[in-house]
Amino acid sequence: MLATVVVVDWRQPELTRRCLRSLSAQVRAGEVEVVLVVNEATAGQVEAYRTEFPSAHVVPVERNLGFAGGVARGLEAVAADVVVLLNNDAVAEPGFVRAGLAELDRRGPSTAAVAATVVLEGRFELARGPGTVDDLVGLDGRRWRRSADGAGERLLNGTGVQVDVNGNGADREWLTPLDGHGGADGSPDPFGFSGGAVFLRRSALDEAGGFDESLFMYYEDVDVSWRLRLAGYDIGWAPAAVVVHRHAGSSSSSGELVRYQSMRNRLVVVVRVGSVRVVARVLARTALRCARDLLPGGTRQLAARQWARLLAEMPRAIRGAVRARRLDGRTARDRGRVEGRLLRTVALPHE
């Protein structure tokens, strides 16, 4: 088997069916297969998927393991040389699988992964007037609003992931007009990949330790990307491997869960993979953010009850990250090499 596409579903059958249909023409017997992991699966759901998509291997999971856990279960069913991850709220354009495999092959075994080109579904215009909760905000501060009449720009969701010196991750070329994008900051290679659409060399993924199920969702891709970089691998970009993504189709882009998981997982990931300098920066900024949030007035990242939960969870999570860091066996030189060459010195607007 050349490649296995892993899709994770949780209570989104219509989006998942749309995703699987887009892959149907790209599945080739003996070469490319699809593994569908169904979190909190019921017998009826599993039977329906198996009936409609007989060529897909459906993996039912009794509870919701999130994206990271779902991918980990999918990997247990994979024997292919290349694992393709695709969000269930995305649609693969024709030739997606072929283009990604060709780019990974072209770059050779030193490249562990290539990120796909992810385009936002629909068209958008620069927002005027007061902002709304549905506006998408770019890294440059500009607000984009979905066009009601179908006019406007097609925008990129991303061409991989960039990470700054504070451990914040963001989609590279987020909200860049599709007609004008290039290599992002003059470099064709991102720091890492987005788990929403990526081609991963299985041998490199196994060497780096796979996906950390404890992260549940968000930053699990930054974690794996960073560990692949520490292991000496490159991560590239496959411009011609295109998917169209319904942004926040499976989860709100700015809800409490997103903010909580991002704050928690950023800290856990940096403790596992970052240098002492970066860990200290993230610890200090997290403490400062907590203090600001607990003061009256102002915009809060997390509510008081969320901070209470985070502070209760962190000792155990940090101990686990430290144990994993020791087992990874990476040196201070490894960390300095990755951070000095790849981390953005300009902070991304995460906090």
Side-chain angles (χ1 to χ4, degrees):
M1 192 68 63
L2 292 177
T4 299
V5 185
V6 176
V7 178
V8 179
D9 168 77
W10 181 63
R11 297 182 178 178
Q12 294 286 348
E14 293 310 312
L15 286 177
T16 299
R17 287 189 173 93
R18 189 184 70 149
C19 174
L20 296 178
R21 285 194 290 268
S22 76
L23 291 167
S24 295
Q26 304 184 45
V27 172
R28 302 188 297 274
E31 294 184 3
V32 179
E33 65 176 353
V34 173
V35 170
L36 172 64
V37 180
V38 184
N39 278 323
E40 283 189 348
T42 66
Q45 287 175 326
V46 172
E47 182 60 30
Y49 281 129
R50 286 174 174 164
T51 298
E52 186 171 351
F53 303 98
S55 63
H57 177 45
V58 182
V59 179
V61 180
E62 290 186 356
R63 59 193 180 92
N64 182 16
L65 300 179
F67 182 78
V71 169
R73 291 298 176 275
L75 290 174
E76 293 172 0
V78 170
D81 297 330
V82 177
V83 178
V84 186
L85 303 184
L86 182 62
N87 266 8
N88 71 318
D89 55 5
V91 170
E93 292 281 271
F96 162 72
V97 173
R98 186 186 300 275
L101 291 177
E103 181 63 21
L104 193 62
D105 183 62
R106 184 189 71 80
R107 293 182 63 112
S110 63
T111 296
V114 290
T117 299
V118 184
V119 179
L120 285 172
E121 185 177 287
R123 290 183 176 270
F124 297 81
E125 298 175 321
L126 284 171
R128 294 183 173 85
T132 73
V133 294
D134 294 323
D135 288 349
L136 301 180
V137 182
L139 301 180
D140 57 4
R142 292 192 300 173
R143 293 181 293 108
W144 292 85
R145 192 167 295 165
R146 190 177 298 277
S147 173
D149 58 8
E153 300 265 14
R154 296 193 72 199
L155 301 177
L156 283 168
N157 193 142
T159 58
V161 165
Q162 56 192 2
V163 179
D164 71 11
V165 292
N166 300 314
N168 297 320
D171 290 309
R172 190 179 71 150
E173 294 198 278
W174 166 244
L175 302 187
T176 299
L178 187 59
D179 291 339
H181 86 102
D185 301 329
S187 170
D189 287 348
F191 175 89
F193 61 84
S194 165
V198 62
F199 295 76
L200 287 157
R201 206 176 296 278
R202 179 63 187 269
S203 58
L205 180 61
D206 289 345
E207 180 185 338
F211 281 77
D212 182 354
E213 295 186 43
S214 73
L215 297 176
F216 192 75
M217 61 191 300
Y218 300 112
Y219 275 78
E220 72 290 318
D221 43 16
V222 172
D223 176 51
V224 174
S225 297
W226 209 320
R227 284 188 275 123
L228 287 170
R229 290 289 190 183
L230 287 171
Y233 287 103
D234 294 325
I235 295 173
W237 167 43
V242 179
V243 303
V244 178
H245 182 221
R246 181 174 295 179
H247 181 63
S250 294
S251 64
S252 168
S253 63
S254 59
E256 286 189 357
L257 176 63
V258 176
R259 294 194 299 272
Y260 179 83
Q261 286 294 122
S262 296
M263 186 71 71
R264 176 196 183 277
N265 289 352
R266 180 189 60 157
L267 185 53
V268 172
V269 167
V270 166
V271 168
R272 177 171 183 175
V273 298
S275 66
V276 171
R277 178 172 57 90
V278 171
V279 172
R281 285 177 65 97
V282 174
L283 285 170
R285 293 179 73 89
T286 303
L288 180 60
R289 180 73 260 180
C290 178
R292 287 176 176 171
D293 282 4
L294 297 180
L295 289 173
T299 302
R300 290 184 171 85
Q301 186 93 4
L302 300 180
R305 58 181 173 76
Q306 291 178 298
W307 280 112
R309 176 188 169 192
L310 184 64
L311 293 173
E313 277 190 13
M314 287 319 296
R316 180 178 178 182
I318 293 298
R319 286 195 299 270
V322 170
R323 283 195 300 270
R325 180 188 182 99
R326 289 170 178 162
L327 290 172
D328 287 342
R330 304 305 174 193
T331 66
R333 178 173 293 182
D334 293 330
R335 302 183 201 284
R337 168 180 55 81
V338 171
E339 293 170 14
R341 189 163 66 92
L342 294 166
L343 290 192
R344 287 172 55 98
T345 55
V346 178
L348 299 169
H350 169 75
E351 299 170 75

